[in-house]
Amino acid sequence: DIVLTQSPGTLSLSPGDRATLSCRASQTVSSSFLAWYQQKPGQAPRLLIYDDSTRATDVPDRFSGSGSGTDFTLTISRLEPEDFAVYYCQQIATSPGAFGQGTKLEIK
Amino acid sequence: EVQLVESGGGLVQPGGSLRLSCTTSGFTFSNYWMTWVRQAPGKGLEWVANIKQDGREEYYLDSVRGRFSISRDNRKKSLFLQMNRLTDDDTAVYYCARGISTSRITPLLHWGQGALVAVSS
């Protein structure tokens, strides 16, 4: 099974900063089969990015995805207060569709 | 509007059983693979199982295979998760989810609000 490892575990930044979140796969994954989600406390996850760098409906363009092979990155260009949350990557190429363990983005 | 509503969660003793349901509306249920994802308290997301449109293909997380069974009723637009021989490690919020596309290989766009399953004596 493919294992995804996210880093850092926690990222402390300020509004207006640029955030770079990493997701590393245990084996090659097509960027078309790597997705990113955002989750806020008490809420279900929200799909942000899929199919390489496609943003889901209503996702602001400050969110972008990149990467290939085993290394993928979610970038938030300028943090807004509502962006502080937990972020997960997921590979959807195979079942089980494993998630990474998450990166918590907190206000510094 | 796509809606997914889980039900059937609750407190169960170790070794017990529980059946979760996910009632859907706002889309043609029979056209989509459906997925269960869980989240233990304070932990990350864990993919549990998924099922093909016609119910003839299923996939499971290793740790639940043989104990959990995913099924669906396309006439009732409902998804189910039968959970047997439950352990403390199965304590989690269980989410029902649907993908963006009708393919098996699809990110999960629509999620329910979750059903809490607590396994404790």
Side-chain angles (χ1 to χ4, degrees), chain A residues 1 33 35 37 39 43-45 47 50 88 90 92-97 99, chain B residues 37 39 43-45 47 50 59 62 95 100 104-109 111-112:
Chain A
D1 294 350
F33 302 145
Y37 300 83
Q39 188 180 32
Q43 297 184 15
L47 178 65
Y50 65 99
Y88 297 93
Q90 184 202 16
I92 59 172
T94 62
S95 295
F99 291 89
Chain B
V37 175
Q39 186 169 36
K43 303 297 184 182
L45 302 172
W47 185 99
N50 66 356
Y59 296 90
D62 282 349
Y95 294 101
I100 279 185
R104 179 180 66 82
I105 301 176
T106 176
L108 300 171
L109 177 61
W111 298 69

mmCIF file of all heavy atoms in Angstrom, chain A residues 1 33 35 37 39 43-45 47 50 88 90 92-97 99, chain B residues 37 39 43-45 47 50 59 62 95 100 104-109 111-112:
data_model
loop_
_atom_site.group_PDB
_atom_site.id
_atom_site.type_symbol
_atom_site.label_atom_id
_atom_site.label_comp_id
_atom_site.label_asym_id
_atom_site.label_seq_id
_atom_site.Cartn_x
_atom_site.Cartn_y
_atom_site.Cartn_z
ATOM 1 N N ASP A 1 0.830 -1.192 0.000
ATOM 2 C CA ASP A 1 0.000 0.000 0.000
ATOM 3 C C ASP A 1 0.875 1.256 0.000
ATOM 4 O O ASP A 1 1.953 1.277 0.581
ATOM 5 C CB ASP A 1 -0.924 0.022 1.222
ATOM 6 C CG ASP A 1 -1.962 -1.093 1.191
ATOM 7 O OD1 ASP A 1 -2.087 -1.765 0.137
ATOM 8 O OD2 ASP A 1 -2.646 -1.281 2.210
ATOM 9 N N PHE A 33 -3.398 11.869 -9.452
ATOM 10 C CA PHE A 33 -4.066 11.056 -8.442
ATOM 11 C C PHE A 33 -3.684 11.470 -7.028
ATOM 12 O O PHE A 33 -3.710 10.663 -6.108
ATOM 13 C CB PHE A 33 -3.737 9.582 -8.667
ATOM 14 C CG PHE A 33 -4.142 9.083 -10.035
ATOM 15 C CD1 PHE A 33 -3.369 8.135 -10.694
ATOM 16 C CD2 PHE A 33 -5.287 9.537 -10.647
ATOM 17 C CE1 PHE A 33 -3.742 7.679 -11.956
ATOM 18 C CE2 PHE A 33 -5.669 9.093 -11.902
ATOM 19 C CZ PHE A 33 -4.891 8.161 -12.555
ATOM 20 N N ALA A 35 -4.595 14.385 -4.108
ATOM 21 C CA ALA A 35 -5.558 15.421 -3.744
ATOM 22 C C ALA A 35 -5.195 16.036 -2.403
ATOM 23 O O ALA A 35 -4.519 15.403 -1.580
ATOM 24 C CB ALA A 35 -6.966 14.832 -3.685
ATOM 25 N N TYR A 37 -6.905 18.267 0.985
ATOM 26 C CA TYR A 37 -8.126 18.626 1.701
ATOM 27 C C TYR A 37 -7.786 19.565 2.851
ATOM 28 O O TYR A 37 -6.694 19.518 3.405
ATOM 29 C CB TYR A 37 -8.802 17.380 2.300
ATOM 30 C CG TYR A 37 -9.201 16.338 1.280
ATOM 31 C CD1 TYR A 37 -8.281 15.423 0.808
ATOM 32 C CD2 TYR A 37 -10.511 16.264 0.807
ATOM 33 C CE1 TYR A 37 -8.631 14.464 -0.130
ATOM 34 C CE2 TYR A 37 -10.878 15.308 -0.124
ATOM 35 C CZ TYR A 37 -9.932 14.413 -0.586
ATOM 36 O OH TYR A 37 -10.296 13.460 -1.514
ATOM 37 N N GLN A 39 -9.418 20.760 6.646
ATOM 38 C CA GLN A 39 -10.418 20.428 7.663
ATOM 39 C C GLN A 39 -10.322 21.394 8.835
ATOM 40 O O GLN A 39 -9.244 21.592 9.394
ATOM 41 C CB GLN A 39 -10.261 18.990 8.160
ATOM 42 C CG GLN A 39 -11.421 18.562 9.072
ATOM 43 C CD GLN A 39 -11.291 17.142 9.571
ATOM 44 O OE1 GLN A 39 -10.196 16.627 9.784
ATOM 45 N NE2 GLN A 39 -12.434 16.469 9.767
ATOM 46 N N GLN A 43 -15.765 20.074 11.589
ATOM 47 C CA GLN A 43 -16.306 20.037 10.233
ATOM 48 C C GLN A 43 -15.770 18.840 9.458
ATOM 49 O O GLN A 43 -14.708 18.300 9.778
ATOM 50 C CB GLN A 43 -15.955 21.324 9.477
ATOM 51 C CG GLN A 43 -16.551 22.576 10.068
ATOM 52 C CD GLN A 43 -16.238 23.809 9.221
ATOM 53 O OE1 GLN A 43 -15.815 23.701 8.067
ATOM 54 N NE2 GLN A 43 -16.465 24.985 9.799
ATOM 55 N N ALA A 44 -16.511 18.465 8.425
ATOM 56 C CA ALA A 44 -16.019 17.446 7.505
ATOM 57 C C ALA A 44 -14.900 18.040 6.654
ATOM 58 O O ALA A 44 -14.807 19.272 6.498
ATOM 59 C CB ALA A 44 -17.161 16.955 6.619
ATOM 60 N N PRO A 45 -14.039 17.204 6.114
ATOM 61 C CA PRO A 45 -12.996 17.709 5.214
ATOM 62 C C PRO A 45 -13.601 18.384 3.991
ATOM 63 O O PRO A 45 -14.717 18.076 3.573
ATOM 64 C CB PRO A 45 -12.231 16.441 4.827
ATOM 65 C CG PRO A 45 -12.523 15.470 5.914
ATOM 66 C CD PRO A 45 -13.930 15.769 6.343
ATOM 67 N N LEU A 47 -12.543 19.328 -0.020
ATOM 68 C CA LEU A 47 -11.592 19.125 -1.115
ATOM 69 C C LEU A 47 -11.087 20.473 -1.618
ATOM 70 O O LEU A 47 -11.880 21.382 -1.906
ATOM 71 C CB LEU A 47 -12.270 18.356 -2.246
ATOM 72 C CG LEU A 47 -11.433 18.105 -3.496
ATOM 73 C CD1 LEU A 47 -10.238 17.198 -3.184
ATOM 74 C CD2 LEU A 47 -12.285 17.504 -4.594
ATOM 75 N N TYR A 50 -7.043 18.872 -6.740
ATOM 76 C CA TYR A 50 -6.993 17.524 -7.293
ATOM 77 C C TYR A 50 -6.472 17.596 -8.729
ATOM 78 O O TYR A 50 -6.305 18.702 -9.272
ATOM 79 C CB TYR A 50 -8.369 16.852 -7.244
ATOM 80 C CG TYR A 50 -9.410 17.528 -8.113
ATOM 81 C CD1 TYR A 50 -9.717 17.039 -9.375
ATOM 82 C CD2 TYR A 50 -10.084 18.666 -7.667
ATOM 83 C CE1 TYR A 50 -10.665 17.657 -10.170
ATOM 84 C CE2 TYR A 50 -11.024 19.299 -8.455
ATOM 85 C CZ TYR A 50 -11.326 18.789 -9.709
ATOM 86 O OH TYR A 50 -12.250 19.407 -10.496
ATOM 87 N N TYR A 88 -4.700 17.797 4.661
ATOM 88 C CA TYR A 88 -4.364 16.409 4.381
ATOM 89 C C TYR A 88 -4.136 16.214 2.888
ATOM 90 O O TYR A 88 -4.875 16.767 2.061
ATOM 91 C CB TYR A 88 -5.501 15.478 4.803
ATOM 92 C CG TYR A 88 -5.812 15.466 6.279
ATOM 93 C CD1 TYR A 88 -6.786 16.301 6.816
ATOM 94 C CD2 TYR A 88 -5.132 14.606 7.142
ATOM 95 C CE1 TYR A 88 -7.075 16.289 8.177
ATOM 96 C CE2 TYR A 88 -5.421 14.585 8.498
ATOM 97 C CZ TYR A 88 -6.393 15.431 9.004
ATOM 98 O OH TYR A 88 -6.672 15.412 10.352
ATOM 99 N N GLN A 90 -4.029 13.081 -0.057
ATOM 100 C CA GLN A 90 -4.582 11.750 -0.265
ATOM 101 C C GLN A 90 -4.202 11.258 -1.641
ATOM 102 O O GLN A 90 -4.250 12.017 -2.616
ATOM 103 C CB GLN A 90 -6.115 11.749 -0.167
ATOM 104 C CG GLN A 90 -6.731 10.343 -0.293
ATOM 105 C CD GLN A 90 -8.194 10.335 -0.716
ATOM 106 O OE1 GLN A 90 -8.727 11.325 -1.214
ATOM 107 N NE2 GLN A 90 -8.847 9.204 -0.506
ATOM 108 N N ILE A 92 -5.271 8.755 -4.614
ATOM 109 C CA ILE A 92 -6.511 8.108 -5.048
ATOM 110 C C ILE A 92 -6.251 7.100 -6.169
ATOM 111 O O ILE A 92 -7.186 6.569 -6.755
ATOM 112 C CB ILE A 92 -7.548 9.150 -5.512
ATOM 113 C CG1 ILE A 92 -6.989 9.983 -6.675
ATOM 114 C CG2 ILE A 92 -7.967 10.042 -4.352
ATOM 115 C CD1 ILE A 92 -8.013 10.887 -7.316
ATOM 116 N N ALA A 93 -4.985 6.811 -6.438
ATOM 117 C CA ALA A 93 -4.654 5.901 -7.529
ATOM 118 C C ALA A 93 -5.017 4.468 -7.211
ATOM 119 O O ALA A 93 -5.380 3.694 -8.098
ATOM 120 C CB ALA A 93 -3.164 5.997 -7.862
ATOM 121 N N THR A 94 -4.905 4.100 -5.944
ATOM 122 C CA THR A 94 -5.173 2.718 -5.541
ATOM 123 C C THR A 94 -6.088 2.710 -4.321
ATOM 124 O O THR A 94 -6.213 3.700 -3.613
ATOM 125 C CB THR A 94 -3.878 1.985 -5.170
ATOM 126 O OG1 THR A 94 -3.270 2.644 -4.038
ATOM 127 C CG2 THR A 94 -2.885 1.997 -6.327
ATOM 128 N N SER A 95 -6.726 1.559 -4.098
ATOM 129 C CA SER A 95 -7.497 1.373 -2.868
ATOM 130 C C SER A 95 -6.694 0.472 -1.949
ATOM 131 O O SER A 95 -6.259 -0.594 -2.388
ATOM 132 C CB SER A 95 -8.847 0.746 -3.179
ATOM 133 O OG SER A 95 -9.645 1.622 -3.952
ATOM 134 N N PRO A 96 -6.459 0.798 -0.677
ATOM 135 C CA PRO A 96 -7.037 1.945 0.018
ATOM 136 C C PRO A 96 -6.464 3.290 -0.409
ATOM 137 O O PRO A 96 -5.271 3.386 -0.686
ATOM 138 C CB PRO A 96 -6.689 1.667 1.484
ATOM 139 C CG PRO A 96 -5.448 0.848 1.426
ATOM 140 C CD PRO A 96 -5.607 -0.024 0.208
ATOM 141 N N GLY A 97 -7.330 4.290 -0.453
ATOM 142 C CA GLY A 97 -6.909 5.631 -0.839
ATOM 143 C C GLY A 97 -6.340 6.367 0.356
ATOM 144 O O GLY A 97 -6.979 7.248 0.916
ATOM 145 N N PHE A 99 -4.584 8.550 3.246
ATOM 146 C CA PHE A 99 -4.351 9.954 3.562
ATOM 147 C C PHE A 99 -3.002 10.095 4.268
ATOM 148 O O PHE A 99 -2.553 9.160 4.944
ATOM 149 C CB PHE A 99 -5.431 10.484 4.510
ATOM 150 C CG PHE A 99 -6.797 10.596 3.898
ATOM 151 C CD1 PHE A 99 -7.679 9.521 3.937
ATOM 152 C CD2 PHE A 99 -7.212 11.773 3.297
ATOM 153 C CE1 PHE A 99 -8.943 9.617 3.376
ATOM 154 C CE2 PHE A 99 -8.480 11.881 2.745
ATOM 155 C CZ PHE A 99 -9.347 10.796 2.781
ATOM 156 N N VAL B 37 -14.902 6.967 5.225
ATOM 157 C CA VAL B 37 -13.652 7.465 5.798
ATOM 158 C C VAL B 37 -13.911 7.695 7.287
ATOM 159 O O VAL B 37 -14.985 8.158 7.660
ATOM 160 C CB VAL B 37 -13.223 8.787 5.130
ATOM 161 C CG1 VAL B 37 -11.987 9.372 5.829
ATOM 162 C CG2 VAL B 37 -12.942 8.578 3.643
ATOM 163 N N GLN B 39 -12.310 9.009 11.337
ATOM 164 C CA GLN B 39 -11.358 9.885 12.016
ATOM 165 C C GLN B 39 -11.472 9.651 13.508
ATOM 166 O O GLN B 39 -12.481 10.007 14.131
ATOM 167 C CB GLN B 39 -11.634 11.347 11.674
ATOM 168 C CG GLN B 39 -10.623 12.317 12.224
ATOM 169 C CD GLN B 39 -10.797 13.702 11.626
ATOM 170 O OE1 GLN B 39 -11.914 14.152 11.363
ATOM 171 N NE2 GLN B 39 -9.677 14.390 11.390
ATOM 172 N N LYS B 43 -7.285 12.628 15.829
ATOM 173 C CA LYS B 43 -6.375 12.013 14.871
ATOM 174 C C LYS B 43 -6.705 12.418 13.439
ATOM 175 O O LYS B 43 -7.619 13.204 13.199
ATOM 176 C CB LYS B 43 -6.428 10.485 15.006
ATOM 177 C CG LYS B 43 -6.108 9.977 16.403
ATOM 178 C CD LYS B 43 -4.696 10.316 16.823
ATOM 179 C CE LYS B 43 -4.368 9.724 18.184
ATOM 180 N NZ LYS B 43 -2.990 10.091 18.626
ATOM 181 N N GLY B 44 -5.969 11.839 12.487
ATOM 182 C CA GLY B 44 -6.165 12.171 11.085
ATOM 183 C C GLY B 44 -7.228 11.331 10.411
ATOM 184 O O GLY B 44 -7.884 10.482 11.033
ATOM 185 N N LEU B 45 -7.376 11.566 9.126
ATOM 186 C CA LEU B 45 -8.365 10.844 8.324
ATOM 187 C C LEU B 45 -7.838 9.459 7.941
ATOM 188 O O LEU B 45 -6.658 9.306 7.645
ATOM 189 C CB LEU B 45 -8.678 11.635 7.052
ATOM 190 C CG LEU B 45 -9.198 13.051 7.258
ATOM 191 C CD1 LEU B 45 -9.274 13.778 5.916
ATOM 192 C CD2 LEU B 45 -10.558 13.034 7.936
ATOM 193 N N TRP B 47 -8.996 6.236 5.399
ATOM 194 C CA TRP B 47 -9.875 5.631 4.408
ATOM 195 C C TRP B 47 -10.264 4.234 4.896
ATOM 196 O O TRP B 47 -9.396 3.464 5.329
ATOM 197 C CB TRP B 47 -9.128 5.570 3.086
ATOM 198 C CG TRP B 47 -9.866 5.089 1.898
ATOM 199 C CD1 TRP B 47 -10.446 5.860 0.934
ATOM 200 C CD2 TRP B 47 -10.082 3.738 1.518
ATOM 201 N NE1 TRP B 47 -11.005 5.062 -0.034
ATOM 202 C CE2 TRP B 47 -10.795 3.751 0.313
ATOM 203 C CE3 TRP B 47 -9.740 2.503 2.078
ATOM 204 C CZ2 TRP B 47 -11.183 2.594 -0.354
ATOM 205 C CZ3 TRP B 47 -10.114 1.342 1.433
ATOM 206 C CH2 TRP B 47 -10.838 1.407 0.231
ATOM 207 N N ASN B 50 -14.574 1.255 0.121
ATOM 208 C CA ASN B 50 -15.410 1.813 -0.932
ATOM 209 C C ASN B 50 -16.098 0.712 -1.710
ATOM 210 O O ASN B 50 -15.733 -0.468 -1.599
ATOM 211 C CB ASN B 50 -14.659 2.792 -1.830
ATOM 212 C CG ASN B 50 -13.561 2.154 -2.663
ATOM 213 O OD1 ASN B 50 -13.272 0.971 -2.540
ATOM 214 N ND2 ASN B 50 -12.924 2.952 -3.501
ATOM 215 N N TYR B 59 -13.535 -2.623 -1.673
ATOM 216 C CA TYR B 59 -12.160 -2.566 -1.191
ATOM 217 C C TYR B 59 -12.195 -2.143 0.278
ATOM 218 O O TYR B 59 -13.055 -1.353 0.685
ATOM 219 C CB TYR B 59 -11.334 -1.570 -2.008
ATOM 220 C CG TYR B 59 -11.185 -1.960 -3.450
ATOM 221 C CD1 TYR B 59 -12.101 -1.533 -4.404
ATOM 222 C CD2 TYR B 59 -10.128 -2.770 -3.862
ATOM 223 C CE1 TYR B 59 -11.974 -1.888 -5.721
ATOM 224 C CE2 TYR B 59 -9.996 -3.131 -5.196
ATOM 225 C CZ TYR B 59 -10.917 -2.693 -6.117
ATOM 226 O OH TYR B 59 -10.796 -3.058 -7.424
ATOM 227 N N ASP B 62 -6.896 -2.755 5.435
ATOM 228 C CA ASP B 62 -6.472 -4.065 5.950
ATOM 229 C C ASP B 62 -7.006 -4.353 7.348
ATOM 230 O O ASP B 62 -7.431 -5.477 7.651
ATOM 231 C CB ASP B 62 -4.946 -4.163 5.966
ATOM 232 C CG ASP B 62 -4.367 -4.428 4.590
ATOM 233 O OD1 ASP B 62 -5.142 -4.737 3.661
ATOM 234 O OD2 ASP B 62 -3.136 -4.318 4.441
ATOM 235 N N TYR B 95 -17.347 9.030 8.245
ATOM 236 C CA TYR B 95 -17.909 9.872 7.196
ATOM 237 C C TYR B 95 -18.246 9.039 5.963
ATOM 238 O O TYR B 95 -17.456 8.189 5.545
ATOM 239 C CB TYR B 95 -16.902 10.941 6.756
ATOM 240 C CG TYR B 95 -16.552 11.986 7.779
ATOM 241 C CD1 TYR B 95 -15.357 11.911 8.492
ATOM 242 C CD2 TYR B 95 -17.389 13.072 8.002
ATOM 243 C CE1 TYR B 95 -15.017 12.884 9.417
ATOM 244 C CE2 TYR B 95 -17.048 14.061 8.923
ATOM 245 C CZ TYR B 95 -15.862 13.961 9.622
ATOM 246 O OH TYR B 95 -15.526 14.934 10.538
ATOM 247 N N ILE B 100 -15.815 13.241 -7.019
ATOM 248 C CA ILE B 100 -16.157 14.229 -8.042
ATOM 249 C C ILE B 100 -16.750 13.556 -9.268
ATOM 250 O O ILE B 100 -17.718 14.034 -9.853
ATOM 251 C CB ILE B 100 -14.898 15.023 -8.453
ATOM 252 C CG1 ILE B 100 -14.603 16.120 -7.468
ATOM 253 C CG2 ILE B 100 -15.061 15.600 -9.850
ATOM 254 C CD1 ILE B 100 -13.462 17.011 -7.878
ATOM 255 N N ARG B 104 -13.778 5.086 -10.115
ATOM 256 C CA ARG B 104 -13.269 4.650 -8.804
ATOM 257 C C ARG B 104 -12.146 5.590 -8.365
ATOM 258 O O ARG B 104 -11.984 5.878 -7.186
ATOM 259 C CB ARG B 104 -12.722 3.224 -8.892
ATOM 260 C CG ARG B 104 -12.148 2.714 -7.580
ATOM 261 C CD ARG B 104 -11.614 1.296 -7.709
ATOM 262 N NE ARG B 104 -10.457 1.223 -8.587
ATOM 263 C CZ ARG B 104 -9.222 1.497 -8.206
ATOM 264 N NH1 ARG B 104 -8.966 1.900 -6.963
ATOM 265 N NH2 ARG B 104 -8.221 1.386 -9.056
ATOM 266 N N ILE B 105 -11.368 6.031 -9.353
ATOM 267 C CA ILE B 105 -10.240 6.909 -9.053
ATOM 268 C C ILE B 105 -10.727 8.352 -9.091
ATOM 269 O O ILE B 105 -10.750 8.992 -10.158
ATOM 270 C CB ILE B 105 -9.106 6.679 -10.058
ATOM 271 C CG1 ILE B 105 -8.656 5.217 -9.983
ATOM 272 C CG2 ILE B 105 -7.945 7.622 -9.779
ATOM 273 C CD1 ILE B 105 -7.610 4.854 -11.006
ATOM 274 N N THR B 106 -11.124 8.847 -7.956
ATOM 275 C CA THR B 106 -11.691 10.193 -7.887
ATOM 276 C C THR B 106 -11.482 10.777 -6.501
ATOM 277 O O THR B 106 -11.621 10.061 -5.501
ATOM 278 C CB THR B 106 -13.189 10.162 -8.232
ATOM 279 O OG1 THR B 106 -13.740 11.472 -8.063
ATOM 280 C CG2 THR B 106 -13.950 9.201 -7.320
ATOM 281 N N PRO B 107 -11.145 12.039 -6.403
ATOM 282 C CA PRO B 107 -11.074 12.668 -5.083
ATOM 283 C C PRO B 107 -12.480 12.816 -4.508
ATOM 284 O O PRO B 107 -13.477 12.807 -5.236
ATOM 285 C CB PRO B 107 -10.445 14.028 -5.372
ATOM 286 C CG PRO B 107 -10.808 14.305 -6.795
ATOM 287 C CD PRO B 107 -10.851 12.986 -7.482
ATOM 288 N N LEU B 108 -12.551 12.953 -3.194
ATOM 289 C CA LEU B 108 -13.838 12.978 -2.499
ATOM 290 C C LEU B 108 -14.316 14.418 -2.344
ATOM 291 O O LEU B 108 -13.752 15.196 -1.576
ATOM 292 C CB LEU B 108 -13.689 12.289 -1.135
ATOM 293 C CG LEU B 108 -13.237 10.832 -1.234
ATOM 294 C CD1 LEU B 108 -12.908 10.271 0.146
ATOM 295 C CD2 LEU B 108 -14.307 9.991 -1.920
ATOM 296 N N LEU B 109 -15.358 14.747 -3.067
ATOM 297 C CA LEU B 109 -15.857 16.119 -3.079
ATOM 298 C C LEU B 109 -16.962 16.349 -2.055
ATOM 299 O O LEU B 109 -17.010 17.375 -1.390
ATOM 300 C CB LEU B 109 -16.386 16.456 -4.475
ATOM 301 C CG LEU B 109 -17.019 17.850 -4.634
ATOM 302 C CD1 LEU B 109 -15.990 18.943 -4.332
ATOM 303 C CD2 LEU B 109 -17.601 18.008 -6.031
ATOM 304 N N TRP B 111 -19.122 15.193 1.338
ATOM 305 C CA TRP B 111 -18.984 14.471 2.600
ATOM 306 C C TRP B 111 -20.235 14.660 3.448
ATOM 307 O O TRP B 111 -20.863 15.728 3.424
ATOM 308 C CB TRP B 111 -17.785 15.006 3.390
ATOM 309 C CG TRP B 111 -16.461 14.849 2.721
ATOM 310 C CD1 TRP B 111 -16.003 15.487 1.608
ATOM 311 C CD2 TRP B 111 -15.393 13.998 3.158
ATOM 312 N NE1 TRP B 111 -14.729 15.083 1.311
ATOM 313 C CE2 TRP B 111 -14.322 14.175 2.252
ATOM 314 C CE3 TRP B 111 -15.225 13.114 4.220
ATOM 315 C CZ2 TRP B 111 -13.101 13.487 2.364
ATOM 316 C CZ3 TRP B 111 -14.013 12.442 4.355
ATOM 317 C CH2 TRP B 111 -12.972 12.630 3.436
ATOM 318 N N GLY B 112 -20.560 13.645 4.225
ATOM 319 C CA GLY B 112 -21.595 13.813 5.231
ATOM 320 C C GLY B 112 -21.054 14.538 6.444
ATOM 321 O O GLY B 112 -19.878 14.922 6.479
#
